[in-house]
C-alpha cells in the first residue's frame, strides 16, 4: 500500500509544479504581431530565388524574366510564404 501513496504523492507534486509554471508563463509580455508585407506567392519575397507556401513552389526566372511557379494541389491549404533559397549575390564578370 505504501507504493500507492508514493505514486499519488508524486502525481500531486507534478501537478503543483506544472500549474505553478503556467502562472509564470501568463505574465510574459508578448509583443503584438505585425501584419506581413503584402507578398503574393507569384511575386515572391525580395532577395529570394526559390520560395513556397506549401502548395505552390516558385523560382525566379532568367535575369529579368518572370518567376516560374508550379500548379496548386487540388485540396491544398496555403500557408505563410517562406524562402527556400536566398538569391546568390551578383558577381562582376571576371576579366581574363
Amino acid at each position: 500500500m505504501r507504493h500507492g501513496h508514493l505514486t499519488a504523492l508524486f502525481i500531486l507534486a507534478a501537478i503543483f509544479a506544472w500549474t505553478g509554471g503556467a502562472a509564470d508563463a501568463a505574465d510574459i509580455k508578448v509583443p503584438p504581431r505585425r501584419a506581413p508585407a503584402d507578398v503574393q506567392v507569384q511575386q515572391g519575397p525580395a532577395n529570394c530565388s526559390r520560395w513556397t507556401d506549401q502548395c505552390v513552389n516558385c523560382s525566379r526566372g532568367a535575369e529579368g524574366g518572370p518567376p516560374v511557379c508550379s500548379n496548386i494541389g487540388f485540396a491544398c491549404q496555403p500557408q505563410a510564404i517562406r524562402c527556400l533559397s536566398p538569391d546568390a549575390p551578383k558577381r562582376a564578370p571576371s576579366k581574363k
Side-chain angles (χ1 to χ4, degrees):
M1 204 54 175
R2 181 173 167 90
H3 182 32
H5 291 293
L6 287 176
T7 303
L9 184 62
F10 177 72
I11 291 172
L12 284 174
I15 290 173
F16 287 131
W18 182 62
T19 56
D24 293 335
D27 295 336
I28 296 173
K29 302 244 189 239
V30 177
R33 296 182 88 176
R34 289 182 284 174
D38 188 24
V39 176
Q40 297 177 0
V41 74
Q42 290 82 10
Q43 294 173 343
N47 300 325
C48 189
S49 63
R50 291 180 47 233
W51 61 93
T52 185
D53 67 354
Q54 298 301 106
C55 292
V56 175
N57 295 314
C58 298
S59 61
R60 298 257 180 241
E63 188 67 35
V68 178
C69 296
S70 65
N71 287 333
I72 191 166
F74 177 73
C76 193
Q77 297 294 317
Q79 297 177 9
I81 296 172
R82 65 185 178 100
C83 184
L84 299 174
S85 177
D87 268 342
K90 304 231 185 308
R91 300 164 103 187
S94 60
K95 296 179 182 178
K96 288 189 179 184

